[in-house]
Amino acid sequence: MNELILRKYAKLAVCSGVNVQKGQLLIINASVFDHKFAEYCVEEAYKAGAGEVIVKWSDENISHMNYEYESVETLSNVPEWAVERVKDEHVRKACYLSIDSSTPGLMSDIDPQKMKTSRMAYMKKMEPFMSYTMNNEGQWCIVALPNPKWAKKVFPDKSEEEAVKALWDAILYSVRVREDNDPVEEWQKHDDELLNHCNILNDYQFDYLHFKNNRGTDLKVNLVKNHIWVGGGCTTPDGVFFNPNMPTEECFCMPDKDNVNGIVYASKPLSYSGRVVEDFWFRFENGKVVDHGAAKNVEALDELLNTDEGSRHLGEVALISYDSPISNLDILFFNTLFDENASCHLALGRCYPENVVGGIEMNEDELKAAGGNTSMNHVDFMFGTEDMTVTGVTFDGKEIKVFENGNFVI
Ligand code: ZN
Ligand code: ZN
């Protein structure tokens, strides 16, 4: 990729994405294969006034070897200094930029039990610190860069070189970076449009949403009382606006964890714990998944649902028009950052506290009492289709068409 575009993308990630503030500490998570882009991000961050920038490097092939050769005891050992380090970053009000270029399915040959045990150990230790990003106490942002193996997975019929180019084009199109535009300005417009949809939905304060399509989805998702639809950027308690996901096309909200009923059929495969689950469905009763199935890799779903109590309940419902940039590309990215923005989706697992009035200040019990779900998981899956209808039903029984033929009509 040429330098001009790479620098533009880096500036977008630093300024519109994480929006690093004067004097602030920025932590960048990057792969060693993306060192040039990471370097541009560091430079743009200092130009924007960052006080300190720390890059945490990784190499997914080495991570794979760690999982392959280390014992589960070693993998599950989270040293105190690692916890202290994160604590210190939060005390210093750091912001986080993650540059994701992971290969989908890379870990598929690793014993799932080994991965699960070590991941649970890590999450248990780190759970108290998750609220920092989950509650948007500090800014965070994820952007993606292609790599050859990922590109070949998305475009198996192209040569490696062509595949990488095609994936670059798709990513840049999704994040609105072109040679002849100012992406920072375009993102401001985009954020305004998303906010407008959220405002309309917030004014209705629907009791529930009813999703229906020809695939067989017939699902009623109740929303918590005093819910807040969020879309585009977020704001920290200090008033710093940032875009956590680039790209983003969604308006998302908090389902009532005990009030979801019916059946939902996924419209895209789900990449979970190194495996790709295909053609799957869930049946909900009183908010809980009571039955499920998949044409391929159903055991990955079993594992997900059995992680903890909250993994069988919803934590997010998101609306995205079928006619949107990522959806129009009609590519399966095998990466949630992109695929979840191609289609309406739901997430099993923890909710986002920002989706209910006062949620950020609530402790776990208060959040649960408000209908919010808690879990170690938050796993998005796509279910939007071009024939999706969504009807919003108000508390006094009024029915409002929200989606027709897959698109927003309000
Ligand atoms: Zn979402
Ligand atoms: Zn989500």
Side-chain angles (χ1 to χ4, degrees):
M1 189 43 57
N2 73 50
E3 190 186 323
L4 172 84
I5 289 285
L6 264 193
R7 281 189 183 276
K8 250 190 186 186
Y9 191 16
K11 188 178 176 186
L12 180 74
V14 167
C15 295
S16 304
V18 75
N19 191 10
V20 66
Q21 298 294 292
K22 293 245 173 320
Q24 197 175 16
L25 166 63
L26 169 65
I27 311 282
I28 299 178
N29 293 300
S31 156
V32 289
F33 303 110
D34 301 324
H35 65 95
K36 204 69 207 169
F37 181 72
E39 192 183 306
Y40 292 151
C41 288
V42 173
E43 196 180 333
E44 290 299 335
Y46 281 127
K47 276 195 211 161
E52 185 182 357
V53 184
I54 298 171
V55 183
K56 291 183 185 171
W57 297 104
S58 62
D59 175 329
E60 60 174 8
N61 299 321
I62 293 177
S63 302
H64 184 273
M65 283 185 247
N66 293 342
Y67 274 115
E68 191 178 352
Y69 293 106
E70 287 179 20
S71 70
V72 68
E73 289 75 27
T74 305
L75 285 166
S76 304
N77 175 35
V78 185
E80 274 316 309
W81 62 258
V83 178
E84 286 302 318
R85 179 176 179 165
V86 174
K87 232 192 246 175
D88 178 64
E89 289 165 7
H90 293 183
V91 168
R92 294 179 62 194
K93 295 197 164 201
C95 57
Y96 294 88
L97 173 63
S98 293
I99 302 162
D100 176 15
S101 62
S102 49
T103 302
L106 183 77
M107 302 291 176
S108 56
D109 58 339
I110 302 290
D111 173 13
Q113 199 53 41
K114 201 174 180 182
M115 282 193 77
K116 188 185 166 191
T117 308
S118 53
R119 200 173 47 220
M120 294 269 279
Y122 178 81
M123 285 168 119
K124 223 174 188 158
K125 261 303 192 15
M126 293 300 180
E127 207 173 14
F129 310 105
M130 279 180 187
S131 66
Y132 188 79
T133 47
M134 279 303 282
N135 292 359
N136 300 323
E137 287 163 27
Q139 318 99 276
W140 57 280
C141 173
I142 307 174
V143 296
L145 248 58
N147 74 47
K149 277 194 223 151
W150 177 20
K152 276 293 277 182
K153 177 130 187 148
V154 180
F155 301 104
D157 300 332
K158 294 188 192 293
S159 72
E160 189 175 289
E161 198 184 333
E162 282 170 358
V164 170
K165 190 186 174 305
L167 188 54
W168 255 125
D169 289 346
I171 289 174
L172 292 172
Y173 173 74
S174 306
V175 296
R176 297 167 157 81
V177 174
R178 297 192 308 269
E179 272 188 42
D180 63 349
N181 76 338
D182 177 357
V184 175
E185 207 173 85
E186 246 176 73
W187 269 80
Q188 263 159 14
K189 253 198 320 208
H190 179 51
D191 279 327
D192 288 346
E193 277 166 24
L194 288 171
L195 190 66
N196 184 40
H197 269 145
C198 291
N199 287 342
I200 295 170
L201 289 164
N202 284 333
D203 286 345
Y204 276 117
Q205 283 293 310
F206 289 123
D207 178 18
Y208 66 89
L209 297 176
H210 189 179
F211 295 90
K212 271 184 117 164
N213 68 9
N214 288 331
R215 198 173 273 248
T217 292
D218 186 350
L219 187 74
K220 287 180 180 169
V221 178
N222 283 63
L223 303 172
V224 298
K225 292 207 174 68
N226 299 317
H227 57 258
I228 303 172
W229 286 90
V230 177
C234 303
T235 307
T236 67
D238 294 339
V240 182
F241 183 83
F242 66 101
N243 277 291
N245 288 332
M246 294 192 128
T248 185
E249 301 289 337
E250 62 176 329
C251 293
F252 63 99
C253 199
M254 191 188 291
D256 180 339
K257 71 178 174 66
D258 298 318
N259 217 342
V260 177
N261 290 283
I263 190 157
V264 58
Y265 288 85
S267 56
K268 295 209 175 210
L270 166 72
S271 182
Y272 179 74
S273 192
R275 284 153 294 172
V276 179
V277 188
E278 287 174 28
D279 290 326
F280 57 101
W281 55 271
F282 298 107
R283 181 183 293 284
F284 286 87
E285 263 175 40
N286 299 323
K288 188 173 176 175
V289 174
V290 290
D291 200 3
H292 66 282
K296 209 174 153 195
N297 284 326
V298 72
E299 65 283 355
L301 281 193
D302 301 340
E303 191 191 303
L304 159 63
L305 293 168
N306 293 330
T307 311
D308 55 17
E309 173 67 25
S311 295
R312 285 185 177 266
H313 297 256
L314 292 184
E316 181 194 355
V317 54
L319 299 178
I320 294 157
S321 279
Y322 192 79
D323 183 18
S324 71
I326 299 173
S327 170
N328 291 340
L329 283 170
D330 201 23
I331 295 169
L332 183 65
F333 284 85
F334 299 98
N335 181 314
T336 307
L337 181 61
F338 293 87
D339 292 328
E340 78 157 1
N341 279 301
S343 156
C344 288
H345 59 266
L346 298 167
L348 288 165
R350 69 177 175 270
C351 67
Y352 290 102
E354 65 188 305
N355 283 131
V356 65
V357 173
I360 308 274
E361 288 83 39
M362 287 178 188
N363 63 31
E364 207 167 290
D365 290 337
E366 290 166 333
L367 197 60
K368 275 187 186 165
N373 193 26
T374 56
S375 166
M376 278 194 264
N377 273 320
H378 176 100
V379 178
D380 298 287
F381 65 93
M382 285 16 102
F383 75 114
T385 52
E386 59 183 331
D387 66 337
M388 178 72 84
T389 17
V390 185
T391 310
V393 181
T394 61
F395 277 96
D396 50 9
K398 246 189 252 140
E399 295 190 358
I400 311 290
K401 279 258 171 289
V402 180
F403 264 52
E404 235 166 340
N405 297 319
N407 292 324
F408 267 110
V409 287
I410 55 168

